[in-house]
Amino acid sequence: MSSTTGTVERAFEAALYTDTHDALDTGASILAADPAADAELDRRGREFVAAAWRRGWQPADVVRLVRRDLDDVHVRLVSALIRAQAPDDRARGPRWGAQLDDLAADAPPPRTDRFTHATTVLELYRLLLRLPSLEPLDEPKRHDSRRPASRMLTRIRALLAKAEATGFPEEAEALSAKAQELMARHSIDEALLDAQAPAKDAPGACRIGVEAPYEQAKAVLLDAVAAANHCRAVWNEAYGFSTVVGFEGDLEVVELLYTSLLVQATTAMTRAEAAQRAGGRRRTKTFRQSFLAAYAHRIGTRLAEAAETQVTDDLLPVLATREVAVTDRVDEMFPETTTTRLRGVSDEAGWTEGAEAADRAQVRARPPLG
């Protein structure tokens, strides 16, 4: 064992397997006293990242957890480690690549004194070391030349971005309606292409962050969006995400629509709160929780109603086949699930305002596709 490896091992032994601050200080002191160990410390960090991938985690999952449990400096440190490990990683799918691209904007962590930097590194490594195993989300290989980032999805993104940005409810509704029309057509086209392909695509899965505060209501909203787009969502409350299972084109639509609706909900909630304050009422947590719960419930009802009018009878067998495949994949990935009751919904004004906001964000039905 080299002296630098020995330094890192002694620091890890002192700091990584206990939660005390004294142990952390001891490990950081060992590392701070030996600058020659820095390269080995970085190498071990890349190993921790690779181990996280083997346990089923993805870049966005790790960054999301580090952001929740630690500080910004740890987020920038783990982002740098993920980027450094990527050249040694195996080939991944386009969604993984997009997550790596999102890391590129993160600035590297600022250089501080050696003891402070070593403390930050050891705090991050403690978290990485203790990551549990998750369900693997290998992206399915497509059997044709279709790209996930299709021209249709680009148009949908543009429409939803305009819906989020406009200050006029009627315009937002019209833009969202057009986006949902394109989403429905996109989903049907994908289903028909899959049915006609010599080798059919299989359902895939992705994770979408569902973070505090008001994460229960957000999970309900995501579940509603997933169901309306032929997908299933399973919420992991402990780690702040839902796993959405479905065919690739539908997964991308769920990510787009959920993000758009959540942005619109937050904007509407802020305006409703301002009106409440103008009327002499102070902002309350129960108002927000009730607002988002009502919004999610109402959106779910409206999307379900719209979904019933999206297809003609001759397309039902194709979609039914895909639904069975999605259900089988969910049962395979999550053999045991539980249901959770929505808590903290007790503010009548918040519920009323949330339901009205959902009506304004309503994605209207369109004529049946034929």
Side-chain angles (χ1 to χ4, degrees), residues 152 155-160 163 173-186 253 257 260 363:
M152 180 75 79
R155 292 180 61 194
I156 292 170
R157 287 189 181 96
L159 287 167
L160 292 176
E173 183 180 353
L175 291 167
S176 296
K178 181 60 178 177
Q180 180 59 20
E181 179 179 330
L182 293 180
M183 287 174 181
R185 171 58 66 185
H186 175 74
V253 163
L257 184 55
S260 176
V363 181

Side-chain angles (χ1 to χ4, degrees), residues 106-310:
D106 290 335
R111 293 303 300 181
T112 57
D113 63 88
R114 291 190 56 78
F115 178 82
T116 300
H117 178 70
T119 301
T120 300
V121 171
L122 291 174
E123 287 171 334
L124 174 63
Y125 289 6
R126 272 182 176 179
L127 184 148
L128 295 178
L129 178 67
R130 300 174 188 186
L131 292 178
S133 295
L134 298 177
E135 301 79 13
L137 302 184
D138 290 337
E139 296 182 48
K141 294 181 175 61
R142 302 187 68 87
H143 300 288
D144 55 45
S145 59
R146 286 172 282 159
R147 300 281 298 174
S150 67
R151 184 175 301 176
M152 180 75 79
L153 289 175
T154 300
R155 292 180 61 194
I156 292 170
R157 287 189 181 96
L159 287 167
L160 292 176
K162 290 180 180 179
E164 293 163 13
T166 182
F168 302 98
E170 295 80 4
E171 183 181 10
E173 183 180 353
L175 291 167
S176 296
K178 181 60 178 177
Q180 180 59 20
E181 179 179 330
L182 293 180
M183 287 174 181
R185 171 58 66 185
H186 175 74
S187 180
I188 297 302
D189 288 347
E190 289 278 320
L192 291 176
L193 285 170
D194 180 52
Q196 296 164 6
K200 296 180 175 59
D201 292 337
C206 68
R207 297 189 187 105
I208 298 176
V210 181
E211 303 173 59
Y214 319 114
E215 58 272 29
Q216 276 196 322
K218 294 175 184 177
V220 171
L221 176 62
L222 177 53
D223 183 74
V225 173
N229 289 280
H230 319 296
C231 297
R232 296 273 300 278
V234 179
W235 181 36
N236 186 321
E237 183 176 7
Y239 291 105
F241 62 77
S242 284
T243 302
V244 183
V245 180
F247 287 81
E248 185 63 32
D250 293 333
L251 291 177
E252 294 181 69
V253 163
V254 170
E255 289 183 281
L256 286 171
L257 184 55
Y258 170 69
T259 301
S260 176
L261 289 172
L262 191 58
V263 169
Q264 293 183 62
T266 302
T267 301
M269 183 170 62
T270 301
R271 291 173 180 165
E273 279 188 322
Q276 290 283 317
R277 287 195 299 272
R281 172 178 174 169
R282 299 179 62 184
R283 185 184 74 176
T284 65
K285 181 178 180 180
T286 54
F287 177 88
R288 287 193 161 208
Q289 177 73 9
S290 299
F291 182 103
L292 289 175
Y295 183 90
H297 175 76
R298 187 63 169 165
I299 285 290
T301 300
R302 298 292 181 128
L303 287 176
E305 291 172 351
E308 293 178 358
T309 67
Q310 297 304 303

